[in-house]
Amino acid sequence: MTSRASVSGANLLIRGGYVLTMDSAGDLPGADVHVQDGVIQRIGANLDAPGAEVIDAAGKIVAPGLVDTHWHMWNTLLRGMSDGRPTPDGPDRGGYFATCVGIGRHFLPGDTYAGTRLAAAEAADAGITTVHDWAHNIRGRDWAEAGLRALGESGLRARFSYGYATGHANDQLMALDDLATIRSAWLSYHADDRIHLGVAWRGTGGSNPAMRVAPELYRAEIAAARELELPVSVHACGPPGAAGQVLTYADAGLLGPDVQLVHLNNASATEIALAAEAGTPVSVSPWTELQIGYGQPVTGELLAAGLPVGLSVDTTMLSGNADLFAVMKVTQACANGQARHEFALTARDVLRLATIEGARSLGLDAVTGSLAVGKRADVIVVSLDSPSLGVLTDPARLLVTAATPRDVELVLVDGRVLKRDGKLTIVDAKEITSAARAALAGVLSRAAA
Ligand SMILES: [Zn+2]
């Protein structure tokens, strides 16, 4: 399962690329990036790095790895399974939520492992070096461990947000004892400090009375997370028209820099202001927000209010794939379309959201999200050789509007090579996809029984 140059601590000189630092150093055309012991050692022209393996990046773009800020990785096993309308006699299928709950309850730990591995392989292939795995089908500690194992083996940087089981009964607490156990044994899960723990919180249940969670339960859950000093993430859109959720959280004193809000599409201006006042970070997942009918992403409003914003995949059941380049492109297009202004959001603004700002929203900006000396070496090299690229013009605009995962030639996380010459290195993509197919067949046969 290992191959050449995959060992952390590699000594690499990425030579002569157009370096988009996304840091105060700005753009450095024709610069070198020296990586050793997992860390960016130096960035500059004509560096001398004795003993380093030289990777020629001339004519290519060198950028920080992309940062995803919310992704239900387990259900990548169900990629594409969200179409069709629910029918009265088939309530388990049709649409995202019914399918997620109806099929998700038949997952065994091995299926969570297979789905998370597939998602993680897709991430590395697509130049995503940090993921936020929003694990909301934890049906027991084995399911959490399966997800953590897949993330650990993937080589990615991650937040693993420990959640509940999809379809979790509203009158029951999430498994706080298991959460505490995982927290206390965290040294065995953090994979050389690449993974940190968070809590995927179901919140108050939104506007639908049938979904509502009693205040004593949701307060106990968030209190437990804060007691364990873990960051929390919660969806704050609910079904279309569910404005008011952020108000509920604000009134209950539950907002803060440690609570990430996901999907503020339906939030009122007052709610956005309250979230900004609390310093709460936000995750925007334009493809899924559009696909499920939450409405337009409101990235421009969130940024204008001063909220920390990151971009996200959310779920490939709806988005189809985990192409964060396409996420950037639609983010900019929606923001400019809504503003009826060509320059409401520039490509560079959006690239910041997918790199340093996304990292900041996860509390990882001192570690990753930009290319700076001393930071962990999470780096991508994007080739311009495809006919859909071809020329080096405005590199930020090329990444946001033209690049695709297939153009990502090299991916490093912690200085370790996850993709090289366009091919995944530390995981076997063929084995992962065939294991995923076998797992899905098992899940579907149990679901049909
Ligand atoms: Zn979500």
Side-chain angles (χ1 to χ4, degrees):
M1 293 285 281
T2 54
S3 70
R4 68 192 172 112
S6 65
V7 179
S8 189
N11 184 8
L12 301 171
L13 186 66
I14 303 168
R15 174 80 86 190
Y18 188 106
V19 180
L20 278 166
T21 68
M22 303 312 288
D23 197 72
S24 54
D27 290 8
L28 304 170
D32 304 342
V33 179
H34 179 217
V35 168
Q36 194 172 13
D37 300 327
V39 173
I40 297 172
Q41 305 286 348
R42 285 174 301 161
I43 303 174
N46 303 313
L47 295 181
D48 193 24
E53 182 191 351
V54 175
I55 294 175
D56 181 16
K60 303 175 200 290
I61 297 171
V62 181
L66 304 178
V67 177
D68 158 78
T69 60
H70 137 255
W71 186 355
H72 310 291
M73 294 176 79
W74 67 273
N75 72 27
T76 287
L77 199 69
L78 309 180
R79 190 195 301 279
M81 286 184 69
S82 61
D83 224 344
R85 297 185 174 92
T87 56
D89 53 348
D92 278 3
R93 296 289 288 277
Y96 172 70
F97 288 109
T99 307
C100 199
V101 174
I103 306 291
R105 73 164 80 105
H106 298 283
F107 267 56
L108 299 173
D111 306 318
T112 296
Y113 178 66
T116 308
R117 277 174 97 208
L118 182 61
E122 184 182 6
D125 190 51
I128 299 171
T129 53
T130 298
V131 293
H132 175 192
D133 184 9
W134 217 103
H136 66 353
N137 195 22
I138 295 187
R139 316 192 74 79
R141 210 193 305 162
D142 289 351
W143 282 255
E145 289 183 337
L148 282 164
R149 185 154 63 92
L151 288 175
E153 290 169 1
S154 74
L156 295 172
R157 192 174 304 290
R159 176 184 294 178
F160 177 79
S161 277
Y162 191 105
Y164 41 96
T166 183
H168 193 99
N170 291 345
D171 58 356
Q172 281 172 31
L173 273 176
M174 62 183 283
L176 296 176
D177 290 352
D178 283 348
L179 171 65
T181 304
I182 296 263
R183 172 75 176 87
S184 61
W186 190 244
L187 282 179
S188 20
Y189 300 111
H190 69 51
D192 298 325
D193 227 12
R194 278 186 292 107
I195 309 176
H196 71 278
L197 184 62
V199 173
W201 182 46
R202 61 182 157 164
T204 57
S207 60
N208 179 353
M211 299 279 287
R212 222 161 266 167
V213 179
E216 59 271 25
L217 295 188
Y218 69 67
R219 282 185 178 284
E221 290 173 346
I222 202 159
R226 285 184 165 158
E227 172 90 25
L228 294 169
E229 299 182 327
L230 298 174
V232 172
S233 176
V234 64
H235 292 93
C237 184
Q245 265 178 292
V246 179
L247 217 48
T248 311
Y249 300 148
D251 285 348
L254 302 178
L255 297 180
D258 62 334
V259 179
Q260 179 199 49
L261 298 173
V262 180
H263 311 310
L264 286 196
N265 309 64
N266 293 326
S268 65
T270 308
E271 290 181 299
I272 290 176
L274 285 167
E277 203 175 296
T280 265
V282 178
S283 181
V284 176
S285 64
W287 284 128
T288 65
E289 290 166 356
L290 289 164
Q291 285 279 2
I292 206 163
Y294 285 166
Q296 296 270 332
V298 291
T299 321
E301 286 91 326
L302 300 174
L303 292 171
L307 281 156
V309 174
L311 301 179
S312 61
V313 170
D314 188 359
T315 169
T316 58
M317 288 178 71
L318 285 162
S319 69
N321 62 29
D323 180 350
L324 221 49
F325 296 105
V327 167
M328 290 194 278
K329 183 172 179 170
V330 73
T331 300
Q332 186 189 16
C334 286
N336 291 358
Q338 287 158 0
R340 292 184 160 71
H341 195 301
E342 184 182 356
F343 309 115
L345 217 55
T346 66
R348 201 164 283 261
D349 294 335
V350 181
L351 186 58
R352 286 181 62 79
L353 301 185
T355 54
I356 186 63
E357 292 304 319
R360 196 185 317 282
S361 79
L362 294 177
L364 290 173
D365 49 308
V367 177
T368 189
S370 67
L371 302 182
V373 172
K375 278 199 175 187
R376 303 305 299 179
D378 299 351
V379 186
I380 61 173
V381 175
V382 177
S383 161
L384 302 175
D385 289 343
S386 143
S388 57
L389 283 151
V391 289
L392 176 53
T393 52
D394 173 351
R397 182 130 186 106
L398 290 178
L399 290 188
V400 170
T401 62
T404 67
R406 75 175 170 179
D407 303 307
V408 178
E409 197 170 86
L410 180 79
V411 177
L412 305 183
V413 175
D414 250 4
R416 186 182 191 194
V417 178
L418 302 194
K419 185 181 186 184
R420 183 165 193 167
D421 301 330
K423 292 202 171 52
L424 294 177
T425 52
I426 68 164
V427 297
D428 180 343
K430 245 188 173 156
E431 186 264 324
I432 285 175
T433 50
S434 74
R437 283 178 210 147
L440 177 61
V443 171
L444 293 181
S445 76
R446 287 194 300 279

Short mmCIF file of all heavy atoms in Angstrom, two decimals, residues 206-261:
data_model
loop_
_atom_site.label_atom_id
_atom_site.label_comp_id
_atom_site.label_asym_id
_atom_site.label_seq_id
_atom_site.Cartn_x
_atom_site.Cartn_y
_atom_site.Cartn_z
N GLY A 206 -34.70 22.20 14.02
CA GLY A 206 -35.29 23.03 12.97
C GLY A 206 -36.73 23.41 13.23
O GLY A 206 -37.21 23.38 14.37
N SER A 207 -37.44 23.71 12.15
CA SER A 207 -38.77 24.31 12.28
C SER A 207 -39.89 23.26 12.28
O SER A 207 -41.01 23.55 12.61
CB SER A 207 -39.00 25.27 11.12
OG SER A 207 -38.91 24.54 9.91
N ASN A 208 -39.54 22.03 11.89
CA ASN A 208 -40.56 20.98 11.81
C ASN A 208 -40.80 20.40 13.21
O ASN A 208 -39.89 19.82 13.80
CB ASN A 208 -40.06 19.91 10.84
CG ASN A 208 -41.04 18.75 10.71
OD1 ASN A 208 -42.04 18.68 11.44
ND2 ASN A 208 -40.76 17.86 9.78
N PRO A 209 -42.03 20.55 13.76
CA PRO A 209 -42.29 20.07 15.14
C PRO A 209 -41.93 18.60 15.32
O PRO A 209 -41.47 18.20 16.39
CB PRO A 209 -43.79 20.30 15.32
CG PRO A 209 -44.18 21.31 14.28
CD PRO A 209 -43.22 21.15 13.14
N ALA A 210 -42.11 17.80 14.25
CA ALA A 210 -41.82 16.37 14.36
C ALA A 210 -40.32 16.10 14.54
O ALA A 210 -39.91 15.04 14.99
CB ALA A 210 -42.32 15.64 13.12
N MET A 211 -39.51 17.06 14.16
CA MET A 211 -38.05 16.89 14.21
C MET A 211 -37.46 17.54 15.47
O MET A 211 -36.27 17.43 15.71
CB MET A 211 -37.40 17.57 13.00
CG MET A 211 -37.82 17.02 11.64
SD MET A 211 -36.92 15.54 11.26
CE MET A 211 -35.31 16.26 10.91
N ARG A 212 -38.28 18.24 16.23
CA ARG A 212 -37.72 19.06 17.29
C ARG A 212 -37.07 18.24 18.41
O ARG A 212 -37.59 17.21 18.82
CB ARG A 212 -38.83 19.97 17.88
CG ARG A 212 -38.32 21.36 18.12
CD ARG A 212 -39.46 22.35 18.25
NE ARG A 212 -39.77 22.99 16.98
CZ ARG A 212 -40.87 23.69 16.75
NH1 ARG A 212 -41.78 23.82 17.68
NH2 ARG A 212 -41.06 24.26 15.58
N VAL A 213 -35.96 18.74 18.90
CA VAL A 213 -35.24 18.08 19.99
C VAL A 213 -35.50 18.90 21.25
O VAL A 213 -35.47 20.13 21.22
CB VAL A 213 -33.72 18.06 19.68
CG1 VAL A 213 -32.95 17.40 20.81
CG2 VAL A 213 -33.45 17.35 18.36
N ALA A 214 -35.78 18.21 22.34
CA ALA A 214 -36.09 18.93 23.59
C ALA A 214 -34.87 19.74 24.04
O ALA A 214 -33.73 19.25 23.95
CB ALA A 214 -36.48 17.93 24.66
N PRO A 215 -35.11 20.96 24.55
CA PRO A 215 -33.98 21.81 24.95
C PRO A 215 -33.04 21.15 25.95
O PRO A 215 -31.83 21.33 25.86
CB PRO A 215 -34.67 23.02 25.58
CG PRO A 215 -36.02 23.07 24.94
CD PRO A 215 -36.39 21.66 24.65
N GLU A 216 -33.58 20.33 26.87
CA GLU A 216 -32.66 19.71 27.85
C GLU A 216 -31.69 18.74 27.16
O GLU A 216 -30.56 18.56 27.60
CB GLU A 216 -33.42 19.03 29.00
CG GLU A 216 -34.39 17.95 28.62
CD GLU A 216 -35.80 18.48 28.34
OE1 GLU A 216 -35.94 19.67 27.99
OE2 GLU A 216 -36.75 17.68 28.45
N LEU A 217 -32.15 18.14 26.05
CA LEU A 217 -31.26 17.22 25.32
C LEU A 217 -30.20 18.00 24.53
O LEU A 217 -29.01 17.72 24.63
CB LEU A 217 -32.06 16.33 24.37
CG LEU A 217 -33.04 15.34 24.98
CD1 LEU A 217 -33.59 14.41 23.91
CD2 LEU A 217 -32.38 14.51 26.07
N TYR A 218 -30.64 18.98 23.74
CA TYR A 218 -29.63 19.64 22.90
C TYR A 218 -28.68 20.49 23.73
O TYR A 218 -27.51 20.63 23.40
CB TYR A 218 -30.25 20.39 21.71
CG TYR A 218 -31.07 21.63 21.95
CD1 TYR A 218 -30.51 22.79 22.45
CD2 TYR A 218 -32.42 21.65 21.62
CE1 TYR A 218 -31.27 23.94 22.62
CE2 TYR A 218 -33.19 22.79 21.79
CZ TYR A 218 -32.61 23.94 22.30
OH TYR A 218 -33.35 25.07 22.47
N ARG A 219 -29.19 21.00 24.85
CA ARG A 219 -28.28 21.74 25.74
C ARG A 219 -27.24 20.81 26.36
O ARG A 219 -26.08 21.17 26.52
CB ARG A 219 -29.07 22.45 26.85
CG ARG A 219 -29.76 23.70 26.37
CD ARG A 219 -30.43 24.42 27.53
NE ARG A 219 -31.05 25.65 27.08
CZ ARG A 219 -30.37 26.75 26.79
NH1 ARG A 219 -29.06 26.78 26.96
NH2 ARG A 219 -30.99 27.83 26.36
N ALA A 220 -27.66 19.61 26.71
CA ALA A 220 -26.72 18.63 27.29
C ALA A 220 -25.65 18.27 26.26
O ALA A 220 -24.47 18.11 26.60
CB ALA A 220 -27.47 17.38 27.73
N GLU A 221 -26.06 18.17 25.00
CA GLU A 221 -25.10 17.78 23.96
C GLU A 221 -24.05 18.87 23.73
O GLU A 221 -22.86 18.60 23.67
CB GLU A 221 -25.86 17.46 22.65
CG GLU A 221 -26.66 16.17 22.78
CD GLU A 221 -27.56 15.89 21.59
OE1 GLU A 221 -27.79 16.79 20.76
OE2 GLU A 221 -28.05 14.74 21.52
N ILE A 222 -24.52 20.09 23.66
CA ILE A 222 -23.54 21.16 23.40
C ILE A 222 -22.70 21.42 24.66
O ILE A 222 -21.50 21.72 24.56
CB ILE A 222 -24.22 22.44 22.86
CG1 ILE A 222 -23.17 23.27 22.11
CG2 ILE A 222 -24.87 23.26 23.93
CD1 ILE A 222 -23.72 24.24 21.13
N ALA A 223 -23.29 21.22 25.82
CA ALA A 223 -22.52 21.38 27.06
C ALA A 223 -21.40 20.33 27.13
O ALA A 223 -20.27 20.61 27.54
CB ALA A 223 -23.43 21.27 28.28
N ALA A 224 -21.73 19.11 26.69
CA ALA A 224 -20.73 18.03 26.71
C ALA A 224 -19.58 18.37 25.77
O ALA A 224 -18.41 18.17 26.09
CB ALA A 224 -21.37 16.71 26.32
N ALA A 225 -19.93 18.88 24.58
CA ALA A 225 -18.89 19.24 23.61
C ALA A 225 -17.98 20.32 24.20
O ALA A 225 -16.75 20.25 24.09
CB ALA A 225 -19.52 19.72 22.31
N ARG A 226 -18.59 21.29 24.84
CA ARG A 226 -17.79 22.40 25.38
C ARG A 226 -16.97 21.95 26.59
O ARG A 226 -15.84 22.39 26.77
CB ARG A 226 -18.71 23.58 25.72
CG ARG A 226 -19.12 24.28 24.43
CD ARG A 226 -19.96 25.51 24.64
NE ARG A 226 -19.99 26.28 23.39
CZ ARG A 226 -20.92 27.16 23.07
NH1 ARG A 226 -21.90 27.42 23.91
NH2 ARG A 226 -20.86 27.82 21.93
N GLU A 227 -17.52 21.06 27.36
CA GLU A 227 -16.79 20.48 28.50
C GLU A 227 -15.52 19.76 28.01
O GLU A 227 -14.46 19.83 28.61
CB GLU A 227 -17.74 19.49 29.20
CG GLU A 227 -17.12 18.65 30.29
CD GLU A 227 -17.21 19.33 31.65
OE1 GLU A 227 -18.12 20.15 31.83
OE2 GLU A 227 -16.34 19.03 32.50
N LEU A 228 -15.66 19.09 26.87
CA LEU A 228 -14.52 18.36 26.29
C LEU A 228 -13.64 19.28 25.43
O LEU A 228 -12.67 18.83 24.82
CB LEU A 228 -15.01 17.18 25.44
CG LEU A 228 -15.73 16.06 26.19
CD1 LEU A 228 -16.42 15.10 25.22
CD2 LEU A 228 -14.77 15.29 27.09
N GLU A 229 -14.02 20.56 25.37
CA GLU A 229 -13.29 21.58 24.58
C GLU A 229 -13.19 21.19 23.11
O GLU A 229 -12.12 21.31 22.49
CB GLU A 229 -11.91 21.83 25.19
CG GLU A 229 -12.01 22.36 26.60
CD GLU A 229 -10.66 22.67 27.22
OE1 GLU A 229 -9.69 21.97 26.89
OE2 GLU A 229 -10.59 23.62 28.01
N LEU A 230 -14.30 20.73 22.57
CA LEU A 230 -14.32 20.33 21.16
C LEU A 230 -15.13 21.33 20.34
O LEU A 230 -16.18 21.79 20.78
CB LEU A 230 -14.97 18.94 21.03
CG LEU A 230 -14.24 17.80 21.74
CD1 LEU A 230 -15.04 16.51 21.65
CD2 LEU A 230 -12.84 17.61 21.15
N PRO A 231 -14.65 21.65 19.13
CA PRO A 231 -15.43 22.53 18.27
C PRO A 231 -16.70 21.81 17.80
O PRO A 231 -16.71 20.59 17.66
CB PRO A 231 -14.49 22.81 17.09
CG PRO A 231 -13.53 21.66 17.07
CD PRO A 231 -13.39 21.21 18.51
N VAL A 232 -17.73 22.59 17.57
CA VAL A 232 -19.05 22.05 17.22
C VAL A 232 -19.42 22.53 15.82
O VAL A 232 -19.02 23.62 15.41
CB VAL A 232 -20.09 22.56 18.25
CG1 VAL A 232 -21.51 22.19 17.82
CG2 VAL A 232 -19.78 22.02 19.63
N SER A 233 -20.16 21.71 15.10
CA SER A 233 -20.71 22.16 13.81
C SER A 233 -22.18 21.77 13.76
O SER A 233 -22.56 20.69 14.22
CB SER A 233 -19.95 21.51 12.65
OG SER A 233 -20.54 21.89 11.41
N VAL A 234 -23.00 22.66 13.21
CA VAL A 234 -24.44 22.39 13.15
C VAL A 234 -25.02 22.95 11.87
O VAL A 234 -24.60 24.00 11.39
CB VAL A 234 -25.14 22.97 14.40
CG1 VAL A 234 -25.05 24.50 14.46
CG2 VAL A 234 -26.60 22.53 14.49
N HIS A 235 -25.99 22.22 11.30
CA HIS A 235 -26.70 22.74 10.14
C HIS A 235 -27.68 23.81 10.61
O HIS A 235 -28.31 23.67 11.65
CB HIS A 235 -27.46 21.62 9.43
CG HIS A 235 -26.56 20.61 8.78
ND1 HIS A 235 -26.16 19.47 9.40
CD2 HIS A 235 -25.97 20.62 7.58
CE1 HIS A 235 -25.36 18.79 8.59
NE2 HIS A 235 -25.22 19.48 7.48
N ALA A 236 -27.77 24.86 9.85
CA ALA A 236 -28.65 25.96 10.27
C ALA A 236 -29.52 26.43 9.12
O ALA A 236 -29.80 27.59 8.97
CB ALA A 236 -27.81 27.11 10.81
N CYS A 237 -29.94 25.49 8.32
CA CYS A 237 -30.86 25.85 7.26
C CYS A 237 -32.16 25.09 7.44
O CYS A 237 -33.23 25.67 7.55
CB CYS A 237 -30.28 25.55 5.88
SG CYS A 237 -31.35 26.11 4.57
N GLY A 238 -32.04 23.77 7.58
CA GLY A 238 -33.24 22.96 7.69
C GLY A 238 -34.00 22.99 6.39
O GLY A 238 -33.46 23.37 5.35
N PRO A 239 -35.26 22.61 6.43
CA PRO A 239 -36.04 22.62 5.20
C PRO A 239 -36.21 24.05 4.70
O PRO A 239 -36.11 24.99 5.50
CB PRO A 239 -37.40 22.04 5.62
CG PRO A 239 -37.25 21.61 7.03
CD PRO A 239 -36.03 22.21 7.60
N PRO A 240 -36.48 24.24 3.42
CA PRO A 240 -36.67 25.59 2.90
C PRO A 240 -37.69 26.35 3.74
O PRO A 240 -38.69 25.81 4.17
CB PRO A 240 -37.21 25.35 1.49
CG PRO A 240 -36.72 24.01 1.11
CD PRO A 240 -36.62 23.22 2.38
N GLY A 241 -37.39 27.59 3.99
CA GLY A 241 -38.30 28.43 4.77
C GLY A 241 -38.08 28.32 6.27
O GLY A 241 -38.84 28.85 7.07
N ALA A 242 -37.01 27.64 6.67
CA ALA A 242 -36.79 27.43 8.10
C ALA A 242 -35.97 28.54 8.74
O ALA A 242 -35.14 28.30 9.60
CB ALA A 242 -36.10 26.09 8.31
N ALA A 243 -36.20 29.76 8.32
CA ALA A 243 -35.50 30.88 8.95
C ALA A 243 -35.83 30.88 10.44
O ALA A 243 -36.91 30.48 10.85
CB ALA A 243 -35.92 32.18 8.31
N GLY A 244 -34.91 31.29 11.24
CA GLY A 244 -35.17 31.36 12.67
C GLY A 244 -34.29 30.45 13.48
O GLY A 244 -34.17 30.59 14.69
N GLN A 245 -33.60 29.49 12.79
CA GLN A 245 -32.76 28.58 13.56
C GLN A 245 -31.58 29.30 14.21
O GLN A 245 -31.26 29.02 15.35
CB GLN A 245 -32.22 27.48 12.64
CG GLN A 245 -33.07 26.24 12.71
CD GLN A 245 -32.54 25.19 11.75
OE1 GLN A 245 -32.61 25.34 10.54
NE2 GLN A 245 -32.02 24.13 12.31
N VAL A 246 -31.00 30.22 13.48
CA VAL A 246 -29.85 30.94 14.04
C VAL A 246 -30.30 31.78 15.23
O VAL A 246 -29.60 31.89 16.24
CB VAL A 246 -29.17 31.82 12.97
CG1 VAL A 246 -27.99 32.58 13.57
CG2 VAL A 246 -28.71 30.97 11.80
N LEU A 247 -31.51 32.32 15.10
CA LEU A 247 -32.08 33.10 16.21
C LEU A 247 -32.22 32.22 17.46
O LEU A 247 -31.89 32.64 18.57
CB LEU A 247 -33.46 33.61 15.77
CG LEU A 247 -33.90 34.99 16.20
CD1 LEU A 247 -32.82 36.03 15.95
CD2 LEU A 247 -35.18 35.38 15.43
N THR A 248 -32.69 31.00 17.24
CA THR A 248 -32.83 30.07 18.37
C THR A 248 -31.48 29.84 19.04
O THR A 248 -31.35 29.88 20.26
CB THR A 248 -33.36 28.70 17.87
OG1 THR A 248 -34.49 28.94 17.04
CG2 THR A 248 -33.72 27.79 19.01
N TYR A 249 -30.45 29.60 18.22
CA TYR A 249 -29.12 29.36 18.78
C TYR A 249 -28.60 30.60 19.50
O TYR A 249 -28.03 30.52 20.58
CB TYR A 249 -28.11 28.97 17.68
CG TYR A 249 -28.47 27.72 16.91
CD1 TYR A 249 -28.13 27.59 15.57
CD2 TYR A 249 -29.13 26.67 17.52
CE1 TYR A 249 -28.45 26.45 14.85
CE2 TYR A 249 -29.46 25.53 16.79
CZ TYR A 249 -29.12 25.43 15.47
OH TYR A 249 -29.44 24.30 14.76
N ALA A 250 -28.83 31.76 18.89
CA ALA A 250 -28.34 33.00 19.49
C ALA A 250 -29.04 33.26 20.83
O ALA A 250 -28.39 33.59 21.83
CB ALA A 250 -28.56 34.16 18.54
N ASP A 251 -30.37 33.09 20.84
CA ASP A 251 -31.14 33.32 22.07
C ASP A 251 -30.67 32.41 23.19
O ASP A 251 -30.66 32.78 24.36
CB ASP A 251 -32.64 33.06 21.82
CG ASP A 251 -33.26 34.21 21.04
OD1 ASP A 251 -32.61 35.25 20.90
OD2 ASP A 251 -34.40 34.03 20.55
N ALA A 252 -30.29 31.19 22.82
CA ALA A 252 -29.87 30.22 23.84
C ALA A 252 -28.38 30.37 24.19
O ALA A 252 -27.84 29.59 24.96
CB ALA A 252 -30.15 28.80 23.34
N GLY A 253 -27.72 31.36 23.58
CA GLY A 253 -26.31 31.60 23.89
C GLY A 253 -25.40 30.51 23.34
O GLY A 253 -24.35 30.21 23.92
N LEU A 254 -25.81 29.90 22.24
CA LEU A 254 -25.05 28.75 21.73
C LEU A 254 -24.08 29.10 20.60
O LEU A 254 -23.36 28.24 20.12
CB LEU A 254 -26.03 27.67 21.25
CG LEU A 254 -27.01 27.15 22.30
CD1 LEU A 254 -27.95 26.12 21.69
CD2 LEU A 254 -26.29 26.57 23.49
N LEU A 255 -24.10 30.34 20.16
CA LEU A 255 -23.18 30.70 19.07
C LEU A 255 -21.81 31.08 19.62
O LEU A 255 -21.68 31.46 20.78
CB LEU A 255 -23.75 31.88 18.27
CG LEU A 255 -25.06 31.64 17.54
CD1 LEU A 255 -25.49 32.90 16.81
CD2 LEU A 255 -24.95 30.47 16.58
N GLY A 256 -20.81 30.99 18.77
CA GLY A 256 -19.46 31.40 19.20
C GLY A 256 -18.45 30.92 18.19
O GLY A 256 -18.80 30.17 17.27
N PRO A 257 -17.20 31.33 18.35
CA PRO A 257 -16.16 30.90 17.40
C PRO A 257 -15.99 29.38 17.36
O PRO A 257 -15.44 28.85 16.40
CB PRO A 257 -14.88 31.56 17.95
CG PRO A 257 -15.34 32.59 18.91
CD PRO A 257 -16.69 32.18 19.41
N ASP A 258 -16.48 28.69 18.39
CA ASP A 258 -16.34 27.23 18.42
C ASP A 258 -17.53 26.52 17.77
O ASP A 258 -17.59 25.30 17.77
CB ASP A 258 -16.17 26.74 19.87
CG ASP A 258 -17.37 27.05 20.76
OD1 ASP A 258 -18.09 28.03 20.46
OD2 ASP A 258 -17.60 26.32 21.75
N VAL A 259 -18.47 27.29 17.24
CA VAL A 259 -19.65 26.67 16.63
C VAL A 259 -19.76 27.06 15.17
O VAL A 259 -20.07 28.20 14.84
CB VAL A 259 -20.95 27.07 17.38
CG1 VAL A 259 -22.17 26.43 16.71
CG2 VAL A 259 -20.88 26.64 18.83
N GLN A 260 -19.48 26.12 14.29
CA GLN A 260 -19.60 26.37 12.85
C GLN A 260 -21.05 26.18 12.42
O GLN A 260 -21.68 25.19 12.77
CB GLN A 260 -18.72 25.37 12.08
CG GLN A 260 -18.77 25.52 10.57
CD GLN A 260 -18.29 24.28 9.83
OE1 GLN A 260 -18.71 23.16 10.13
NE2 GLN A 260 -17.40 24.45 8.88
N LEU A 261 -21.55 27.15 11.67
CA LEU A 261 -22.91 27.05 11.13
C LEU A 261 -22.81 26.66 9.64
O LEU A 261 -21.99 27.20 8.91
CB LEU A 261 -23.64 28.38 11.24
CG LEU A 261 -23.87 28.91 12.66
CD1 LEU A 261 -24.45 30.32 12.61
CD2 LEU A 261 -24.81 27.99 13.44
#
